[in-house]
Amino acid sequence: VEDSMLGMAAGMMLAASAFSLLIPGLEAGAEILGGKGGGAGVVVLGMALGAAAGYFGGFFERAVMTVVDLTWSFPDILIALMLVAIVYLGWQAGLVEGRPNFSYDAIFAIAELRPAVAFWLFVAFFVAFAVKVPMFPLHTWLPDAHVEAPVAGSVILASILLKLGTYGFLRLAIPLFPGIAMHDTVRTTILALSTIGVIYGSLVALVQPDFKKMVAYSSVAHLGLVMLGLFAMNMQGVQGAVLQMINHGVSTGALFLLVGMIYDRRHTRM
């Protein structure tokens, strides 16, 4: 019962995060619930949608529990660094008012006032989102997560949750720290890791006997292309990255559905 409740709660939180980040249309309703900032309203609406998803999709519990069990390790420490960075930014943004201010506009205004600190804040955001993308060499959790998760969990993970990483770069890391993100050394490093991810993911996918692992490693390659587009730092690159995020969500989700159909009929993924 406790595992079921934990799975439901985790499912609600993940669904809330996905809807809060990926559905701009929620902002209209958020204006009503959360005032001008809209942040609280987005979270409230996202939680409501997450509750509905958790209630009507029993498979979601097992999927989330599997992913949580597999990823509760070193990558979670890296993700926690972003939480520390957000708390620091909120505290700095609220110094004038005497209380923390987590408004996006307030944080945006002070994010790069101190370049030395801004670099480490960018690093915290980078490692957290790089785990979620996932980028090479922080991708090692993804194949096992896909193999152990039920088909529905793999579809949700590939189609929605992985996009939180690339969307995080697009919406938070790059806009908050443009000077750091556009620095030649930083860009070169990220572009090099993305290129390695594309080549490595493609080659490893070719030799996988398990269909799920094959699709998982192909995701590493596809999302490496997304990162290449984002850090090309031009309009065509960003537009291509966003289009590839949509393409990957549709095609990879469909591939996992096909893998599930094959498994139901043949009882093997080999």
Side-chain angles (χ1 to χ4, degrees), residues 68-93:
V68 168
D69 288 341
L70 286 170
T71 59
W72 186 253
S73 55
F74 178 68
D76 294 281
I77 299 175
L78 300 181
I79 293 173
L81 293 177
M82 184 177 69
L83 176 61
V84 175
I86 291 172
V87 171
Y88 174 83
L89 286 169
W91 182 263
Q92 292 296 312

Side-chain angles (χ1 to χ4, degrees), residues 146-200:
H146 274 307
V147 168
E148 296 298 328
V151 173
S154 293
V155 171
I156 293 170
L157 179 59
S159 298
I160 299 177
L161 299 184
L162 296 186
K163 308 307 176 294
L164 298 181
T166 50
Y167 184 83
F169 278 108
L170 180 63
R171 188 71 178 87
L172 294 175
I174 296 175
L176 287 176
F177 311 102
I180 306 299
M182 296 180 69
H183 190 278
D184 288 341
T185 303
V186 174
R187 280 188 63 209
T188 302
T189 302
I190 295 175
L191 291 173
L193 290 176
S194 301
T195 303
I196 293 172
V198 172
I199 298 172
Y200 171 82

Side-chain angles (χ1 to χ4, degrees), residues 27-234:
E27 294 179 358
E31 290 286 343
I32 300 173
L33 294 176
K36 293 182 178 179
V42 169
V43 173
V44 170
L45 291 177
M47 287 295 288
L49 292 171
Y55 181 79
F56 290 108
F59 64 86
F60 201 75
E61 297 176 24
R62 294 186 295 115
V64 171
M65 285 304 301
T66 301
V67 174
V68 168
D69 288 341
L70 286 170
T71 59
W72 186 253
S73 55
F74 178 68
D76 294 281
I77 299 175
L78 300 181
I79 293 173
L81 293 177
M82 184 177 69
L83 176 61
V84 175
I86 291 172
V87 171
Y88 174 83
L89 286 169
W91 182 263
Q92 292 296 312
L95 286 179
V96 176
E97 301 175 3
R99 58 185 177 84
N101 184 354
F102 294 97
S103 165
Y104 183 84
D105 292 335
I107 291 177
F108 186 85
I110 59 94
E112 280 199 318
L113 290 181
R114 299 169 60 188
V117 177
F119 171 77
W120 292 110
L121 293 173
F122 176 81
V123 169
F125 277 79
F126 169 78
V127 294
F129 291 136
V131 168
K132 196 60 188 172
V133 170
M135 286 182 64
F136 177 90
L138 301 175
H139 66 284
T140 53
W141 64 271
L142 182 63
D144 289 336
H146 274 307
V147 168
E148 296 298 328
V151 173
S154 293
V155 171
I156 293 170
L157 179 59
S159 298
I160 299 177
L161 299 184
L162 296 186
K163 308 307 176 294
L164 298 181
T166 50
Y167 184 83
F169 278 108
L170 180 63
R171 188 71 178 87
L172 294 175
I174 296 175
L176 287 176
F177 311 102
I180 306 299
M182 296 180 69
H183 190 278
D184 288 341
T185 303
V186 174
R187 280 188 63 209
T188 302
T189 302
I190 295 175
L191 291 173
L193 290 176
S194 301
T195 303
I196 293 172
V198 172
I199 298 172
Y200 171 82
S202 301
L203 293 177
V204 175
L206 286 174
V207 297
Q208 293 304 310
D210 188 304
F211 280 156
K212 272 197 168 186
K213 275 197 174 183
M214 180 186 68
V215 179
Y217 278 108
S218 73
S219 292
V220 175
H222 293 164
L223 292 167
L225 288 174
V226 173
M227 293 300 297
L228 285 174
L230 290 179
F231 281 87
M233 294 297 180
N234 55 46

